Amino acid sequence: MTAVPATGSHHDAARDAGVGPNARVPLADYLAGVLRGLRPLPPLDLEITAAHGNVLAEDVVGPGPVPAFDHAAIDGYAARFDDISDAQPGRPVRLSVVGDLVASSWRPVRLTPGTCFSVAAGALMPVSADVVVPPGMTDQGMAAVEVYHPTKRGHGVRRAGDELPAGAILARAGAYVTPPLVSVLAASGIGHVVVRPSPRVVVIATGDELVDVGRASQPGQVVDANSHALTAAAAEAGAHAYRVGICDDDPEGLRGLLDDQMLRADLIITTGGTGTGPGDMVRRILSRTVVFSDLSVYPCSSLGYGTVGGPNGVPIVCLPGDPGAALIGFEVLARPVIQLLAGADPVFRPSVRAHLLETVNSPSGMREFRPAYITERRGGGYTVAPLAGGPYTLSGLADANGLMVLGEKVISAAAGSTVDVILLDRRR
């Protein structure tokens, strides 16, 4: 189910974004080139419960009305409004109770003047009945009932199609299948929908210096935080995420691992080895089909994007080894790619404008993504407090519910100024 490039190859898409060996590329131009080269995964038909969390590939039209028939919305007495309109506490209206109707009653019945049915919520309304009188407005009689208070015509009744008429569009293509939508689909009699499958994302950490979590690291060793964090981030983005673990700086080992993982991946994410140093093996091994770009992004200025397995193979995103930079790189590149493969619209997180609570500085010529905590003000609008960024981005992200975005021309943002903030869904 690997995504198919729209035109040309993934390598061409990255190159067309304006990637060059000597210039820093604006993020917007880079993303436009990458995303233009992708298409969502082919659709498939799924049972509605299994479709939860996926994105609809086509509009869903209701085959019939919801509710499907007129029914009682409350427990009480189904009656004709004309029979009870004159009821008063001192002059009650007396009706004969001709039967009981429960939610499972399905045979149509008809009311005659001066009669009523005892009904349970959900029961099919008798023909000619247009009101359900609550028990508290009556003497709660069984063979006959006295109604002490009138109620409005239609009270306690849900008519067929009140909520959704037949032929209504229940959900548009690009919408996520949520639990409430599953309920609407089921209530409408729809058992299957056509959705985009959740992308299968494989995460690989690279580097001889890495050791697994739980092992005490020695000088020169680094605990692998990235593969765990990025797998969690991919899952949060809606992917079926698989953590492969650590791959040493062995070219043949990396090539063999990528060949193996291509069979179960719609996207591969690597972390580490994206620089130009002597130990940066990923860039050297993948440079034929992956473009490594120097972006005007801080703290993640180096990203790789392309394919493995040929120009039309599996897309791959190469993130830096620093954990904070890797998570920022995931947000700016890998997450939009996952969303596009899944057929989501829009592919980017929502953002708002917020008033800055304290002055912050930002590197010149770079678009900084700074962890932040955003709060909605009681009178409307938002305030945002910057958290640790730069080399301390990882610790800042742990407490963040937003990413403050400071543009390339911003060197300093004063307290009280307005800034853009990307909202992070931490599902708290």
Side-chain angles (χ1 to χ4, degrees):
M1 294 185 180
T2 302
V4 178
T7 57
S9 68
H10 296 300
H11 193 278
D12 294 335
R15 185 179 62 240
D16 291 345
V19 177
N22 300 316
R24 291 199 177 275
V25 182
L27 179 61
D29 295 342
Y30 179 77
L31 285 176
V34 168
L35 299 180
R36 187 169 55 242
L38 285 171
R39 285 287 181 265
L41 298 174
L44 64 132
D45 184 279
L46 287 182
E47 188 271 332
I48 56 173
T49 305
H52 170 247
N54 293 89
V55 174
L56 291 171
E58 56 187 36
D59 294 350
V60 180
V61 179
V66 177
F69 54 85
D70 296 352
H71 66 269
I74 59 174
D75 297 334
Y77 297 89
R80 299 168 67 250
F81 174 76
D82 291 342
D83 286 340
I84 65 166
S85 59
D86 294 331
Q88 298 179 22
R91 297 175 55 188
V93 169
R94 184 179 179 84
L95 301 174
S96 297
V97 181
V98 294
D100 299 322
L101 299 176
V102 296
S104 59
S105 301
W106 59 272
R107 293 183 182 278
V109 294
R110 179 180 293 275
L111 274 184
T112 57
T115 66
C116 68
F117 278 86
S118 173
V119 296
L124 176 70
M125 286 291 291
V127 177
S128 77
D130 55 6
V131 67
V132 176
V133 182
M137 294 183 176
T138 73
D139 67 350
Q140 302 184 34
M142 299 180 66
V145 64
E146 291 189 342
V147 179
Y148 298 118
H149 300 279
T151 187
K152 294 181 180 179
R153 191 188 304 271
H155 179 81
V157 179
R158 290 193 68 197
R159 295 295 183 186
D162 267 357
E163 187 161 2
L164 294 167
I169 295 178
L170 306 182
R172 296 283 186 182
Y176 276 95
V177 180
T178 62
L181 180 56
V182 169
S183 181
V184 168
L185 295 172
S188 301
I190 296 173
H192 287 76
V193 287
V194 179
V195 298
R196 305 286 179 181
S198 298
R200 301 164 301 165
V201 176
V202 169
V203 179
I204 305 170
T206 68
D208 287 338
E209 75 280 10
L210 297 179
V211 295
D212 280 321
V213 171
R215 289 183 53 189
S217 60
Q218 304 298 322
Q221 294 181 322
V222 178
V223 174
D224 170 30
N226 284 356
S227 67
H228 295 277
L230 295 173
T231 302
E236 184 187 69
H240 292 305
Y242 307 93
R243 175 185 173 267
V244 173
I246 300 170
C247 178
D248 294 335
D249 288 330
D250 171 24
E252 293 307 315
L254 178 60
R255 290 191 185 100
L257 182 58
L258 292 175
D259 287 343
D260 291 341
Q261 297 304 316
M262 282 173 50
L263 299 175
R264 69 164 179 172
D266 299 306
L267 173 67
I268 295 175
I269 298 175
T270 69
T271 174
T274 61
T276 57
D280 290 318
M281 182 261 301
V282 172
R283 182 186 284 248
R284 295 199 315 271
I285 298 304
L286 300 180
S287 59
R288 290 184 59 188
T289 59
V290 176
V291 176
F292 290 86
S293 310
D294 293 326
L295 305 178
S296 57
V297 175
Y298 182 78
C300 177
S301 60
S302 179
L303 293 173
Y305 179 78
T307 62
V308 289
N312 296 321
V314 177
I316 184 170
V317 169
C318 300
L319 302 176
D322 176 79
L327 283 171
I328 296 297
F330 179 91
E331 284 293 329
V332 301
L333 176 59
R335 192 178 192 280
V337 168
I338 291 172
Q339 295 295 295
L340 193 150
L341 293 177
D345 184 20
V347 299
F348 299 107
R349 291 189 189 268
S351 64
V352 297
R353 301 279 288 173
H355 290 278
L356 190 57
L357 293 179
E358 59 184 84
T359 299
V360 293
N361 297 321
S362 185
S364 176
M366 304 292 281
R367 178 172 292 268
E368 180 178 9
F369 291 82
R370 178 78 172 263
Y373 196 87
I374 187 168
T375 304
E376 188 170 3
R377 295 191 298 193
R378 182 174 299 177
Y382 299 89
T383 60
V384 60
L387 300 174
Y392 309 108
T393 294
L394 181 62
S395 59
L397 284 172
D399 295 322
N401 64 357
L403 284 177
M404 186 168 58
V405 184
L406 302 173
E408 289 85 348
K409 296 182 180 180
V410 176
I411 300 175
S412 177
S417 61
T418 304
V419 295
D420 291 313
V421 183
I422 298 171
L423 302 180
L424 301 178
D425 176 15
R426 296 305 189 200
R427 302 186 182 182
R428 291 174 179 167

